[in-house]
Coordinates of all heavy atoms in Angstrom, one line a residue:
R520 N 3.0 -20.7 13.9 CA 2.1 -19.6 13.5 C 2.5 -18.2 14.2 O 1.7 -17.3 14.1 CB 0.6 -19.9 13.9 CG 0.2 -21.2 13.1 CD -1.3 -21.3 13.0 NE -2.0 -21.2 14.3 CZ -3.3 -21.0 14.4 NH1 -4.0 -20.8 13.3 NH2 -3.9 -21.0 15.5
T521 N 3.7 -18.2 14.7 CA 4.2 -16.8 15.1 C 4.8 -16.1 13.9 O 5.2 -15.0 13.9 CB 5.3 -16.9 16.2 OG1 6.4 -17.6 15.6 CG2 4.8 -17.6 17.4
Y522 N 4.8 -16.8 12.7 CA 5.0 -16.2 11.4 C 3.7 -16.1 10.7 O 2.8 -16.8 10.9 CB 6.0 -17.0 10.6 CG 7.4 -17.0 11.2 CD1 7.8 -18.0 12.2 CD2 8.4 -16.1 10.8 CE1 9.0 -18.0 12.8 CE2 9.7 -16.1 11.4 CZ 10.0 -17.1 12.4 OH 11.2 -17.1 12.9
S523 N 3.7 -15.2 9.7 CA 2.5 -15.0 8.9 C 2.5 -16.0 7.7 O 3.6 -16.4 7.3 CB 2.4 -13.6 8.3 OG 2.2 -12.7 9.4
G524 N 1.3 -16.4 7.3 CA 1.3 -17.2 6.0 C 1.6 -16.3 4.8 O 1.6 -15.1 5.0
R525 N 1.8 -16.9 3.7 CA 2.0 -16.1 2.5 C 1.4 -16.9 1.3 O 1.6 -18.1 1.2 CB 3.4 -15.6 2.2 CG 4.4 -16.7 2.0 CD 5.8 -16.1 1.8 NE 5.9 -15.0 0.9 CZ 6.8 -14.0 0.9 NH1 7.7 -14.0 1.9 NH2 6.8 -13.1 0.0
H526 N 0.8 -16.1 0.4 CA 0.1 -16.8 -0.8 C 1.1 -17.1 -1.9 O 1.0 -18.1 -2.6 CB -1.0 -15.9 -1.4 CG -2.1 -15.7 -0.5 ND1 -2.9 -16.8 -0.1 CD2 -2.7 -14.7 0.2 CE1 -3.9 -16.4 0.7 NE2 -3.8 -15.1 0.9
L527 N 2.1 -16.2 -2.1 CA 3.1 -16.4 -3.2 C 4.5 -16.4 -2.6 O 4.8 -15.7 -1.7 CB 2.9 -15.4 -4.3 CG 1.7 -15.5 -5.2 CD1 1.6 -14.3 -6.2 CD2 1.6 -16.8 -5.9
P528 N 5.4 -17.1 -3.3 CA 6.8 -17.1 -2.8 C 7.4 -15.7 -3.0 O 7.0 -14.9 -3.8 CB 7.5 -18.2 -3.7 CG 6.6 -18.3 -4.9 CD 5.2 -18.0 -4.4
P529 N 8.5 -15.4 -2.2 CA 9.2 -14.1 -2.4 C 9.8 -13.9 -3.8 O 10.2 -14.9 -4.4 CB 10.2 -14.2 -1.3 CG 10.4 -15.6 -1.0 CD 9.1 -16.3 -1.2
A530 N 9.7 -12.7 -4.2 CA 10.3 -12.3 -5.5 C 11.6 -11.5 -5.3 O 11.6 -10.7 -4.4 CB 9.3 -11.5 -6.3
P531 N 12.6 -11.8 -6.2 CA 13.8 -11.0 -6.0 C 13.8 -9.6 -6.6 O 12.8 -9.2 -7.2 CB 14.8 -11.9 -6.8 CG 13.9 -12.5 -7.9 CD 12.6 -12.7 -7.3
N532 N 14.8 -8.9 -6.4 CA 15.0 -7.6 -7.1 C 13.8 -6.6 -6.8 O 13.2 -6.1 -7.7 CB 15.2 -7.8 -8.6 CG 16.4 -8.7 -8.9 OD1 17.4 -8.6 -8.2 ND2 16.2 -9.5 -9.9
Q533 N 13.6 -6.4 -5.5 CA 12.4 -5.6 -5.2 C 12.6 -4.1 -5.6 O 11.6 -3.4 -5.7 CB 12.2 -5.7 -3.7 CG 11.6 -7.0 -3.2 CD 10.2 -7.2 -3.7 OE1 9.3 -6.3 -3.5 NE2 9.9 -8.2 -4.4
E534 N 13.8 -3.6 -5.8 CA 13.9 -2.2 -6.1 C 14.1 -1.9 -7.5 O 14.0 -0.7 -8.0 CB 15.2 -1.7 -5.3 CG 15.2 -1.9 -3.8 CD 14.0 -1.2 -3.1 OE1 13.6 -0.2 -3.6 OE2 13.5 -1.8 -2.2
V535 N 14.2 -2.9 -8.4 CA 14.4 -2.7 -9.8 C 13.1 -2.3 -10.5 O 12.1 -2.9 -10.3 CB 14.9 -4.0 -10.5 CG1 15.0 -3.8 -12.0 CG2 16.3 -4.4 -9.9
G536 N 13.2 -1.1 -11.2 CA 12.0 -0.6 -11.9 C 11.0 0.0 -11.0 O 9.9 0.3 -11.5
R537 N 11.4 0.3 -9.8 CA 10.4 0.9 -8.8 C 11.0 2.2 -8.2 O 12.2 2.3 -8.1 CB 10.1 -0.1 -7.7 CG 9.3 -1.3 -8.2 CD 9.1 -2.3 -7.1 NE 8.2 -3.4 -7.5 CZ 7.9 -4.4 -6.8 NH1 8.3 -4.5 -5.5 NH2 7.1 -5.4 -7.3
P538 N 10.1 3.1 -7.7 CA 10.6 4.3 -7.1 C 11.1 3.9 -5.7 O 10.9 2.8 -5.2 CB 9.3 5.1 -7.0 CG 8.2 4.2 -6.9 CD 8.6 3.0 -7.8
T539 N 11.7 4.9 -5.0 CA 12.0 4.7 -3.6 C 10.7 4.6 -2.8 O 9.6 4.9 -3.3 CB 12.8 6.0 -3.1 OG1 11.9 7.1 -3.1 CG2 14.1 6.2 -3.9
V540 N 10.9 4.1 -1.6 CA 9.7 3.9 -0.7 C 9.0 5.3 -0.5 O 7.8 5.4 -0.5 CB 10.1 3.3 0.6 CG1 9.0 3.3 1.6 CG2 10.6 1.9 0.4
E541 N 9.8 6.3 -0.3 CA 9.3 7.7 -0.1 C 8.4 8.1 -1.3 O 7.3 8.6 -1.1 CB 10.4 8.7 0.2 CG 11.1 8.6 1.5 CD 10.2 9.3 2.6 OE1 9.3 10.0 2.2 OE2 10.5 9.1 3.8
R542 N 9.0 7.9 -2.5 CA 8.2 8.4 -3.7 C 7.0 7.5 -3.9 O 5.9 8.0 -4.4 CB 9.1 8.3 -4.9 CG 10.2 9.4 -5.0 CD 10.7 9.6 -6.4 NE 9.7 10.3 -7.2 CZ 9.4 10.0 -8.5 NH1 10.1 9.0 -9.1 NH2 8.5 10.7 -9.2
A543 N 7.1 6.2 -3.5 CA 5.9 5.4 -3.6 C 4.8 5.8 -2.6 O 3.6 5.9 -2.9 CB 6.2 3.9 -3.4
A544 N 5.2 6.2 -1.4 CA 4.3 6.7 -0.4 C 3.6 8.0 -0.8 O 2.5 8.3 -0.4 CB 5.0 6.8 0.9
D545 N 4.3 8.8 -1.6 CA 3.7 10.1 -2.1 C 2.4 9.8 -2.8 O 1.5 10.7 -2.8 CB 4.7 10.8 -3.0 CG 5.9 11.3 -2.3 OD1 5.9 11.4 -1.1 OD2 6.9 11.7 -3.1
L546 N 2.2 8.6 -3.4 CA 1.0 8.3 -4.1 C -0.2 8.2 -3.2 O -1.3 8.3 -3.7 CB 1.2 7.0 -4.8 CG 2.2 6.9 -6.0 CD1 2.5 5.5 -6.3 CD2 1.6 7.7 -7.2
F547 N 0.0 8.1 -1.9 CA -1.1 8.0 -1.0 C -1.5 9.3 -0.4 O -2.6 9.4 0.2 CB -0.8 7.0 0.1 CG -0.7 5.6 -0.4 CD1 0.5 5.1 -1.0 CD2 -1.8 4.7 -0.4 CE1 0.6 3.8 -1.5 CE2 -1.7 3.4 -0.9 CZ -0.5 3.0 -1.4
D548 N -0.7 10.3 -0.5 CA -0.9 11.6 0.3 C -2.2 12.3 -0.1 O -2.4 12.5 -1.3 CB 0.3 12.5 0.1 CG 1.6 12.0 0.8 OD1 1.5 11.1 1.6 OD2 2.6 12.6 0.5
R549 N -2.9 12.7 0.9 CA -4.1 13.6 0.7 C -3.6 15.0 0.7 O -3.2 15.5 1.7 CB -5.1 13.3 1.8 CG -6.4 14.2 1.7 CD -7.3 13.9 2.9 NE -7.8 12.5 2.9 CZ -8.3 11.9 4.0 NH1 -8.3 12.6 5.2 NH2 -8.7 10.7 4.0
D550 N -3.7 15.7 -0.5 CA -3.1 17.0 -0.5 C -4.2 18.1 -0.7 O -3.9 19.2 -1.1 CB -2.1 17.1 -1.7 CG -2.6 16.7 -3.0 OD1 -3.9 16.4 -3.1 OD2 -1.9 16.6 -4.0
G551 N -5.4 17.7 -0.4 CA -6.5 18.7 -0.5 C -7.7 18.1 0.2 O -7.6 17.5 1.2
E552 N -8.9 18.4 -0.4 CA -10.1 17.9 0.2 C -10.1 16.3 0.1 O -9.7 15.8 -0.9 CB -11.3 18.5 -0.6 CG -11.5 19.9 -0.3 CD -11.9 20.2 1.2 OE1 -12.8 19.4 1.7 OE2 -11.4 21.1 1.7
M553 N -10.7 15.7 1.1 CA -10.8 14.3 1.1 C -11.8 13.9 0.0 O -12.8 14.5 -0.2 CB -11.4 13.8 2.4 CG -11.6 12.3 2.5 SD -12.3 11.8 4.1 CE -14.0 12.3 4.0
I554 N -11.4 12.8 -0.8 CA -12.3 12.2 -1.8 C -13.3 11.3 -1.0 O -12.9 10.4 -0.3 CB -11.5 11.4 -2.8 CG1 -10.4 12.3 -3.4 CG2 -12.5 10.9 -3.9 CD1 -9.4 11.5 -4.2
L555 N -14.6 11.6 -1.2 CA -15.6 10.9 -0.4 C -15.9 9.5 -0.9 O -16.0 9.3 -2.2 CB -16.9 11.7 -0.3 CG -16.8 13.0 0.5 CD1 -18.1 13.8 0.3 CD2 -16.5 12.8 1.9
C556 N -16.1 8.5 -0.1 CA -16.6 7.2 -0.5 C -18.0 7.3 -0.9 O -18.8 8.0 -0.2 CB -16.4 6.2 0.7 SG -17.0 4.6 0.2
P557 N -18.5 6.8 -2.0 CA -19.9 6.9 -2.4 C -20.8 6.1 -1.5 O -22.0 6.3 -1.6 CB -19.9 6.3 -3.8 CG -18.7 5.4 -3.8 CD -17.7 6.0 -3.0
R558 N -20.3 5.3 -0.6 CA -21.1 4.3 0.1 C -21.0 4.2 1.6 O -21.9 4.0 2.3 CB -20.9 2.9 -0.5 CG -21.8 1.8 -0.1 CD -21.5 0.6 -0.9 NE -22.2 -0.6 -0.4 CZ -23.5 -0.8 -0.6 NH1 -24.2 0.0 -1.4 NH2 -24.1 -1.9 -0.1
S559 N -19.8 4.5 2.1 CA -19.4 4.2 3.5 C -19.5 5.3 4.4 O -19.2 6.5 4.1 CB -18.0 3.6 3.5 OG -17.9 2.4 2.7
T560 N -19.8 5.0 5.7 CA -19.7 6.0 6.8 C -18.5 5.7 7.6 O -17.8 4.7 7.4 CB -21.0 5.9 7.7 OG1 -20.9 4.6 8.4 CG2 -22.3 6.0 6.9
V561 N -18.2 6.6 8.5 CA -17.0 6.4 9.4 C -17.2 5.2 10.2 O -16.2 4.5 10.6 CB -16.8 7.7 10.2 CG1 -15.9 7.4 11.4 CG2 -16.3 8.8 9.4
L562 N -18.5 4.8 10.5 CA -18.7 3.6 11.3 C -18.1 2.3 10.6 O -17.5 1.4 11.3 CB -20.2 3.3 11.5 CG -20.5 2.1 12.5 CD1 -20.0 2.4 13.9 CD2 -22.0 1.9 12.4

């Protein structure tokens, strides 16, 4: 158990049909006001 479990076996060709890691990470960037959660507090 010094390794993690996994639900599905590994899939090949991880870069085919996908953007670079940098471009994928751009999808997460907050570039203006934070979008508020309708339900949650910081707690």
Side-chain angles (χ1 to χ4, degrees):
R520 300 202 304 164
T521 64
Y522 292 86
S523 296
R525 66 183 306 153
H526 291 299
L527 288 179
N532 304 320
Q533 286 292 305
E534 304 302 326
V535 176
R537 294 178 174 176
T539 64
V540 172
E541 285 280 351
R542 288 200 75 216
D545 291 343
L546 292 165
F547 292 85
D548 288 350
R549 180 183 296 160
D550 56 7
E552 289 294 317
M553 180 181 73
I554 306 166
L555 295 171
C556 179
R558 187 172 172 80
S559 303
T560 68
V561 166
L562 185 66

